[in-house]
Amino acid sequence: QVQLVESGGGLMQPGGSVRLSCSASGIMLRMYDMAWFRQAPGKQRELVANIASYEMIKYVNSENVEGRFTISRDNAKNTVYLEINSLKLEDTAVYYCNAVHISGQNTYWGQGTQVTVSS
């Protein structure tokens, strides 16, 4: 059974930092392109950042995150990370981990982790 489990969310203060983790079981993450999405209340789910299977290509949705987000992966630990610095109120959202096999044939989602930024 394939599972993606996000963790690290919670109540955060503006200006702070958080590192979200996505741990996979049942698959080998090195065979997957990984991404983080987020969905704020009343808004559509949006791509935040993605990283190719062998980390050669990274993409961050710069329109929305202004260089504050860093995506990374540790294939040995079967885990992907998203670090968010200088947290803003508008970063409040549920953050989802997404895995797409390099063949494009299988896609998995985690259940999400809530990040709430509030003073």
Side-chain angles (χ1 to χ4, degrees):
Q1 182 180 1
V2 177
Q3 279 191 313
L4 299 179
V5 179
E6 300 97 333
S7 62
L11 179 61
M12 313 291 171
Q13 290 193 338
S17 298
V18 65
R19 188 173 81 157
L20 306 180
S21 300
C22 171
S23 296
S25 59
I27 57 174
M28 296 176 67
L29 276 192
R30 63 181 178 87
M31 299 301 292
Y32 288 78
D33 297 328
M34 301 299 297
W36 285 94
F37 288 74
R38 69 181 180 182
Q39 187 166 19
K43 295 187 177 181
Q44 290 187 332
R45 190 173 298 189
E46 64 174 358
L47 173 67
V48 173
N50 58 18
I51 184 168
S53 60
Y54 286 97
E55 204 172 342
M56 295 180 65
I57 301 173
K58 296 182 184 181
Y59 168 78
V60 176
N61 185 354
S62 60
E63 291 185 2
N64 297 322
V65 301
E66 303 165 350
R68 299 182 293 112
F69 287 35
T70 302
I71 187 170
S72 61
R73 64 191 298 158
D74 187 337
N75 289 336
K77 294 183 178 180
N78 236 28
T79 302
V80 177
Y81 305 97
L82 181 70
E83 184 170 349
I84 311 172
N85 297 311
S86 302
L87 283 162
K88 300 181 178 182
L89 299 178
E90 52 264 41
D91 294 325
T92 296
V94 178
Y95 285 75
Y96 296 93
C97 178
N98 169 259
V100 179
H101 193 269
I102 56 176
S103 69
Q105 293 189 345
N106 295 310
T107 301
Y108 302 101
W109 289 90
Q111 82 291 347
T113 184
Q114 175 72 49
V115 173
T116 301
V117 184
S118 175
S119 56

